[in-house]
Amino acid sequence: MAAVPAWTRVDTRLRREFAFRDFSEAFAFMTRVALLAEKANHHPDWSNSWSKVVIELTSHDAGGLTQRDFDLAREIDALAGP
Amino acid sequence: MAAVPAWTRVDTRLRREFAFRDFSEAFAFMTRVALLAEKANHHPDWSNSWSKVVIELTSHDAGGLTQRDFDLAREIDALAGP
Amino acid sequence: MAAVPAWTRVDTRLRREFAFRDFSEAFAFMTRVALLAEKANHHPDWSNSWSKVVIELTSHDAGGLTQRDFDLAREIDALAGP
Amino acid sequence: MAAVPAWTRVDTRLRREFAFRDFSEAFAFMTRVALLAEKANHHPDWSNSWSKVVIELTSHDAGGLTQRDFDLAREIDALAGP
């Protein structure tokens, strides 16, 4: 599972924080992540507060990280910059 | 500030959990809340995991709950049912 | 290709109009259709004006209707009611 | 009503076409425009096909262009570049 250096490994999760200019930019990013997640049938645990978005990825059904988490992390990086 | 019985008061926050059938329904609800929040210029602290959405409302600038939180809570209730 | 009776066949397209209560409800529906379309990698030609949404489906690459159009039509019907 | 040079005047409407890299980028832009429109309580007539978005602005209630159309056009320009 190739490296995703922008993400922190916390227990069985990958975690990355994103900062935007305002809510509109943050929510547009969330919409793009929603499209990725639905396409991959693999969804984040995530939170938003105004211009900040925190995304955590894990494979609930596998009880930990799988290739699907690293793949989704890289697709999200492609949206947000590495 | 009129009652919003579906919401729990946690410290200086109003909190409500919402359950949907799937991610698509949850994210469509979030999109409607985003439209309300941007219109009110008052934004939630919120999280999503698949079909669940947790919304917390507080007025960061006032250091606690204000009328804006109760107003937004009621507008969200109007989308989701009380 | 099974019937999609709510849709009208116009030349090489399937067309259906949707009416909602307001813009918020219409755009939330569009967000759900966007999730379906991205998952299917098959996207509508569509328009919106306030509470109305018009969706047209065709397979540009095939020069006409294909199974993908009927499948997406049925998935959209499942969101909106038949 | 100050100039919005990226927009074409067609009868009683302002019209601008936007091209993006893919559907995800186009729909994220539409989400941001939806937030602007709902905030302004002034909504576009718009269409989307894959990576293209066409926005038309008019004031239906006034039977033509008003300041609200030019204001929204400029806010949209601020998202998309002039």
Side-chain angles (χ1 to χ4, degrees):
Chain A
M1 294 187 282
V4 283
W7 296 73
T8 307
R9 201 147 169 172
V10 181
D11 299 329
T12 57
R13 294 166 164 267
L14 294 176
R15 182 181 198 280
R16 185 174 172 192
E17 297 189 23
F18 302 84
F20 299 94
R21 268 180 297 186
D22 54 25
F23 176 75
S24 168
E25 206 179 76
F27 195 73
F29 168 73
M30 292 176 72
T31 299
R32 299 192 73 183
V33 173
L35 292 170
L36 286 179
E38 190 74 356
K39 190 168 193 169
N41 200 23
H42 190 55
H43 299 79
D45 296 335
W46 55 350
S47 62
N48 161 248
S49 179
W50 174 241
S51 62
K52 290 200 312 181
V53 178
V54 178
I55 300 183
E56 293 192 344
L57 302 176
T58 194
S59 294
H60 292 287
D61 52 357
L65 291 169
T66 66
Q67 187 63 46
R68 286 179 291 150
D69 300 301
F70 288 87
D71 289 346
L72 186 53
R74 264 190 300 276
E75 290 188 292
I76 294 170
D77 284 349
L79 298 182
Chain B
M1 293 187 282
V4 283
W7 297 72
T8 307
R9 200 147 169 172
V10 181
D11 299 328
T12 56
R13 295 165 163 267
L14 294 176
R15 183 181 197 280
R16 184 174 172 191
E17 297 188 23
F18 301 85
F20 299 94
R21 268 180 296 186
D22 55 24
F23 177 75
S24 167
E25 206 178 76
F27 195 73
F29 169 73
M30 291 175 72
T31 299
R32 299 191 73 182
V33 173
L35 292 171
L36 285 178
E38 190 73 356
K39 190 168 194 168
N41 200 24
H42 190 55
H43 299 79
D45 296 336
W46 55 350
S47 62
N48 161 247
S49 180
W50 173 241
S51 62
K52 291 201 312 182
V53 177
V54 178
I55 300 182
E56 293 192 344
L57 303 175
T58 193
S59 295
H60 293 286
D61 52 357
L65 290 168
T66 67
Q67 187 63 46
R68 286 178 292 149
D69 300 302
F70 289 88
D71 290 346
L72 186 53
R74 264 190 300 278
E75 291 187 292
I76 293 170
D77 285 349
L79 297 182
Chain C
M1 295 188 280
V4 285
W7 297 72
T8 307
R9 200 147 169 172
V10 181
D11 299 327
T12 57
R13 294 165 164 267
L14 294 176
R15 183 181 197 278
R16 185 174 171 192
E17 297 190 23
F18 302 85
F20 298 94
R21 267 180 297 186
D22 55 23
F23 177 76
S24 168
E25 206 178 76
F27 196 74
F29 169 72
M30 292 176 72
T31 299
R32 298 191 74 184
V33 173
L35 293 170
L36 286 178
E38 190 73 356
K39 190 169 194 169
N41 200 24
H42 190 55
H43 299 80
D45 296 335
W46 55 350
S47 62
N48 161 248
S49 179
W50 174 241
S51 63
K52 290 200 312 182
V53 178
V54 179
I55 301 183
E56 293 192 344
L57 303 176
T58 193
S59 295
H60 293 287
D61 51 357
L65 290 169
T66 67
Q67 187 63 46
R68 286 179 292 149
D69 300 301
F70 289 87
D71 290 346
L72 186 53
R74 265 190 299 277
E75 291 188 291
I76 293 170
D77 284 349
L79 297 181
Chain D
M1 295 187 281
V4 284
W7 297 71
T8 306
R9 201 146 169 174
V10 181
D11 299 328
T12 57
R13 294 165 164 266
L14 294 176
R15 182 181 197 280
R16 186 174 171 191
E17 297 188 23
F18 302 85
F20 298 94
R21 268 179 298 186
D22 54 24
F23 177 74
S24 167
E25 206 178 77
F27 195 73
F29 169 71
M30 291 176 72
T31 299
R32 299 192 73 184
V33 173
L35 292 171
L36 286 178
E38 190 74 356
K39 190 168 194 169
N41 199 25
H42 190 54
H43 299 80
D45 297 335
W46 55 351
S47 62
N48 161 248
S49 179
W50 174 242
S51 62
K52 291 200 310 182
V53 178
V54 178
I55 301 183
E56 294 193 344
L57 302 176
T58 194
S59 295
H60 293 287
D61 53 357
L65 290 169
T66 66
Q67 187 62 47
R68 286 178 292 147
D69 300 301
F70 289 86
D71 290 346
L72 186 53
R74 265 189 300 276
E75 291 187 292
I76 293 170
D77 284 348
L79 298 181

